[in-house]
Amino acid sequence: SKSQLTYSARATTHPNLLARKLFQVAEAKKSNVTVSADVTTTKELLDLADRLGPYIAVLKTHIDILSDFGEATTEGLKALAEKHNFLIFEDRKFVDIGNTVQKQYHGGTLRISEWSHIINCSILPGEGIVEALAQTAQAPDFPHGSERGLLILAEMTSKGSLATGAYTSASVDYARKYPSFVLGFVSTRSLNEVESSVKAASDEDFVVFTTGVNLSSKGDKLGQQYQTPQSAIGRGADFIIAGRGIYAAPDPVEAAKQYQQQGWEAYLARIGG
Ligand code: BMP
């Protein structure tokens, strides 16, 4: 497993170009925090991105919950990602046949391929969804190819999640089949020990993003289940994703700094620093 290595070491050897960039950002900012900016207006979203930008590695959006999505949203996000050196992850969770997801990803109302570095999908439809999204992002005439990557939603944090067992192991199979596009997983732990019918490449180093991270709550009334940054990173998370724990805190900037510090200390402890 590569999880004992530093982010800098993984940045130099990683087979995937966007993963290299992600690890470089983490190291430069000493942050493995992804904030889920689940607010519902462009103003709130850009305001959060600007205030929290210095402390995060990735900004995760649910762009379809904005009541006023438009050019100002995407231009604002792109400018702030440059200003603060973070990557954008649109949490659209594609889950459909290949022909449909290509149209949802590229063009359409939301133009996700234009502005989001990282996307994710469920593999419920089978391997074709990964192939279809890879085909769009790696098309010869697509201008951002080296800056696009996919996370496979291999597990979920909600109570009673069905993303377990054969579903999770197929997630690993597909990641191994498309290593130039798949960065890794959204999962609650490292998937290195998960059985897979596809052999691991010698340079395999999937990046683990873990959602459901919160320092002060165990869950919500709709089945969300939380763990702490220490717990998530101890179980193999490379990046911790926190939403309400940060943006709904009395002082979101202070909260972001606290998650940054705890996430970084847990990472240092894991690499033995
Ligand atoms: P919060 O920290 O406020 O509970 O937000 C969690 C975020 O992560 C939400 O944006 C949710 O859509 C997302 N998420 C999750 O909570 N569990 C999963 O298994 C996958 C997710 O994408």
Side-chain angles (χ1 to χ4, degrees):
S1 156
K2 305 272 196 291
S3 68
Q4 257 77 27
L5 299 178
T6 63
Y7 292 142
S8 315
R10 294 169 75 184
T12 27
T13 56
H14 206 286
N16 183 295
L17 288 179
L18 188 64
R20 289 186 180 205
K21 170 117 194 227
L22 184 60
F23 284 128
Q24 282 162 7
V25 169
E27 193 74 54
K29 298 174 81 174
K30 297 203 183 316
S31 178
N32 48 36
V33 173
T34 295
V35 68
S36 271
D38 297 336
V39 292
T40 56
T41 64
T42 296
K43 185 179 181 307
E44 287 171 287
L45 176 63
L46 298 183
D47 185 57
L48 264 184
D50 201 16
R51 290 167 66 206
L52 306 185
Y55 315 106
I56 64 174
V58 179
L59 181 84
K60 185 172 84 58
T61 54
H62 278 300
I63 213 71
D64 58 356
I65 69 177
L66 293 178
S67 56
D68 60 353
F69 173 82
E71 193 77 22
T73 319
T74 53
E75 289 310 307
L77 281 176
K78 283 193 272 187
L80 290 168
E82 286 282 318
K83 175 180 172 190
H84 296 297
N85 191 28
F86 61 73
L87 298 182
I88 304 171
F89 167 14
E90 164 51 29
D91 188 5
R92 171 67 181 74
K93 298 186 181 71
F94 295 104
V95 52
D96 214 317
I97 60 166
N99 185 59
T100 300
V101 296
Q102 286 187 339
K103 293 174 184 169
Q104 291 172 323
Y105 176 41
H106 190 62
T109 319
L110 302 174
R111 299 176 280 104
I112 294 169
S113 68
E114 262 177 58
W115 53 268
S116 185
H117 303 98
I118 303 171
I119 53 167
N120 58 354
C121 75
S122 161
I123 54 132
L124 192 65
E127 185 176 335
I129 190 168
V130 182
E131 189 185 348
L133 292 167
Q135 199 181 77
T136 298
Q138 297 181 335
D141 59 345
F142 179 69
H144 317 287
S146 64
E147 295 229 313
R148 295 293 178 266
L150 175 73
L151 295 171
I152 294 181
L153 184 69
E155 294 180 323
M156 291 200 71
T157 58
S158 36
K159 196 160 178 255
S161 163
L162 304 177
T164 59
Y167 172 91
T168 304
S169 67
S171 301
V172 177
D173 295 350
Y174 300 165
R176 288 183 173 163
K177 285 189 170 177
Y178 299 88
S180 65
F181 187 48
V182 179
L183 299 170
F185 307 102
V186 175
S187 58
T188 66
R189 59 187 167 124
S190 156
L191 300 181
N192 288 331
E193 304 307 321
V194 167
E195 253 180 72
S196 164
S197 57
V198 183
K199 200 171 170 291
S202 58
D203 61 351
E204 173 171 302
D205 180 18
F206 289 121
V207 187
V208 173
F209 278 73
T210 298
T211 56
V213 172
N214 195 305
L215 279 168
S216 59
S217 167
K218 295 251 176 289
D220 68 12
K221 289 182 179 143
L222 296 171
Q224 173 68 299
Q225 305 173 116
Y226 287 126
Q227 56 179 328
T228 62
Q230 287 81 355
S231 153
I233 288 168
R235 287 162 58 90
D238 298 307
F239 291 87
I240 50 171
I241 306 184
R244 286 164 284 182
I246 294 179
Y247 73 78
D251 184 341
V253 171
E254 273 314 305
K257 289 183 187 171
Q258 197 186 5
Y259 282 74
Q260 177 192 15
Q261 190 190 342
Q262 296 213 11
W264 198 256
E265 279 170 9
Y267 154 73
L268 290 178
R270 187 172 81 191
I271 60 170

